[in-house]
Amino acid sequence: SDTNTSVDKQLLAICEVLESNVPYYNWVGFYFRNGNKEELKLGPYVGEPTDHTIIPFGKGICGQVAVSNENFVVPDVSAQDNYIACSITVKSEIVVPIFVDGHNIGQIDIDSNTIDPFTEADERFLEFVCAQVASILS
Ligand code: SME
């Protein structure tokens, strides 16, 4: 619909501003719950295309956040067993859930080519971004 197109453009603009302004944000995208299925579907993103357009709940960093409802900061992806590699250049990752009316409806996912770059300031900033996204969606 036109409404979804407008929302997707806004979400893509958020990805672009984050990727282009934070040197260690190298892939920035959104995943959302796919209807009532226990899986995530890739939304707007900036960076290398990924094969992982559908991620089952529980799988990878993203799928774990779909279940935990908590931020997941991964300083070193090579130390994670339950991790889905999208690119060999990625060293670290942060995923922050998006809540609408108290429900975890999706997440922002950021990959970095730098090892251990994410601080609590990134978490607070991305929580703010996700709250803005929630207001776009509701
Ligand atoms: N690394 C993620 C998969 C998504 S890509 O980073 C774009 C994960 O383990 O869930």
Side-chain angles (χ1 to χ4, degrees):
S1 69
D2 291 345
T3 302
N4 286 337
T5 301
S6 169
V7 166
D8 281 354
K9 284 181 180 168
Q10 291 177 76
L11 296 177
L12 182 61
I14 290 168
C15 294
E16 287 169 344
V17 78
L18 292 176
E19 190 274 340
S20 61
N21 285 281
V22 184
Y24 55 92
Y25 289 4
N26 302 119
W27 188 99
V28 179
F30 292 96
Y31 282 93
F32 293 102
R33 186 171 189 170
N34 193 13
N36 283 324
K37 296 178 188 170
E38 300 281 300
E39 66 185 30
L40 296 165
K41 186 180 182 189
L42 181 62
Y45 70 93
V46 166
E48 273 184 59
T50 174
D51 290 338
H52 303 286
T53 56
I54 298 284
I55 297 177
F57 280 17
K59 299 285 186 184
I61 307 305
C62 295
Q64 291 178 79
V65 169
V67 174
S68 73
N69 306 320
E70 291 180 354
N71 298 347
F72 199 157
V73 178
V74 180
D76 176 0
V77 294
S78 74
Q80 291 291 318
D81 290 327
N82 189 358
Y83 169 71
I84 300 166
C86 287
S87 164
I88 55 162
T89 66
V90 174
K91 299 284 201 300
S92 58
E93 179 165 5
I94 184 170
V95 177
V96 174
I98 299 166
F99 298 100
V100 171
D101 297 331
H103 297 283
N104 180 351
I105 58 97
Q107 53 192 235
I108 193 165
D109 176 23
I110 299 179
D111 288 339
S112 180
N113 300 335
T114 301
I115 197 112
D116 196 13
F118 301 113
T119 67
E120 290 187 15
D122 291 283
E123 290 191 71
R124 300 295 89 76
F125 170 61
L126 294 170
E127 287 165 359
F128 169 80
V129 170
C130 286
Q132 305 310 304
V133 169
S135 68
I136 290 171
L137 296 172
S138 56

